[in-house]
Amino acid sequence: MRVKFDLRPAALIKKEVKRNSFNLLGLVMVILIIAFVGSSGFYLIDMTIRLLSLRDEVYFLNNQVEDLELDKTKLQAEIGRLRNREKTFADTLKIMQDEIPTIEALGAVENNISYGMGLTRLQFTQRAAATSAVMSATANATEQIVGFTDGIQGSGVFSKTDMPTSQYVEATKRVSFTLNLAVNPIGQIGQNSSAQK
C-alpha cells in the first residue's frame, strides 16, 4: 500500500476542499442572480410593449382630436350660417306681421264684387298685431251682398266678416251696407280658404 503525502500548505488544501465542496449559499446566489436578470428582462420587454401600445394610442387620440377640431370648425361655420338664416327669417316675419295686406284685401274685394255693386269706402286700421277694415258699399239686391260676403270670407284674406248695418234706400232703389272685416296677417292669407276647400 502506497501512502501519498500532501505537502501543500494547509491553507491551500482547505481552500481547494472548500472550492470543490457543495456550497448552498453560492447556489442560492446564482439562482437569485438568474431570477433577477430574467425578471428584469421580462419587465423590460413588457414595458417596451406597453410603451409602444401607449404611443399608438396617443397617436390615435391625437388624430381623433384633430378630427374633432375640424368638426368643431365646420359646426361653428354651420351655426353661423343658420343664425344668419334665422335672422333673415325673423326680419321677414316681422315685415310680414307689420305690413298691412292692403293689396290682398283690395284684390279679394275686386274679385268678389259683382256687376251693380259699388264700393264707397274701404278703411284699414291696425292695432297691435291685428288689422281690421271697415267697408261701405251699395248693391242692387241683398242676394249680391250675401254672395259678396261669402266670396270674401272664402278668399282667405279675411278671418271674420260682420255686417252691423244695412238698409234699403228708397230714393236710389239700392241696398246700402257696411262690413267690419278682420284681416289675416300676410303669412296666414290663403290658409282659411285652403282649409275650407
Side-chain angles (χ1 to χ4, degrees), residues 38-109:
S39 62
S40 297
F42 171 77
Y43 284 119
L44 185 63
I45 292 169
D46 186 51
M47 287 300 122
T48 305
I49 291 170
R50 288 189 185 191
L51 182 65
L52 292 174
S53 174
L54 286 173
R55 192 172 65 182
D56 290 343
E57 190 173 349
V58 167
Y59 178 75
F60 175 73
L61 290 174
N62 281 337
N63 284 342
Q64 276 193 328
V65 167
E66 287 176 9
D67 291 344
L68 289 173
E69 288 289 337
L70 187 62
D71 289 345
K72 178 183 171 186
T73 306
K74 287 179 183 177
L75 284 174
Q76 285 175 339
E78 183 65 13
I79 287 170
R81 186 186 71 78
L82 289 174
R83 279 190 181 144
N84 289 338
R85 193 168 179 192
E86 179 187 17
K87 186 178 181 306
T88 303
F89 283 143
D91 292 344
T92 305
L93 183 61
K94 183 165 179 9
I95 290 169
M96 290 174 71
Q97 287 173 340
D98 293 343
E99 182 72 22
I100 298 175
T102 51
I103 295 173
E104 289 80 0
L106 288 171
V109 169

Side-chain angles (χ1 to χ4, degrees), residues 150-161 182-197:
D150 288 346
I152 62 171
Q153 182 71 41
S155 68
V157 177
F158 305 102
S159 61
K160 185 178 171 188
T161 56
V183 185
N184 282 327
I186 287 186
Q188 295 177 12
I189 287 178
Q191 292 180 2
N192 288 355
S193 62
S194 61
Q196 286 173 1
K197 289 177 185 177

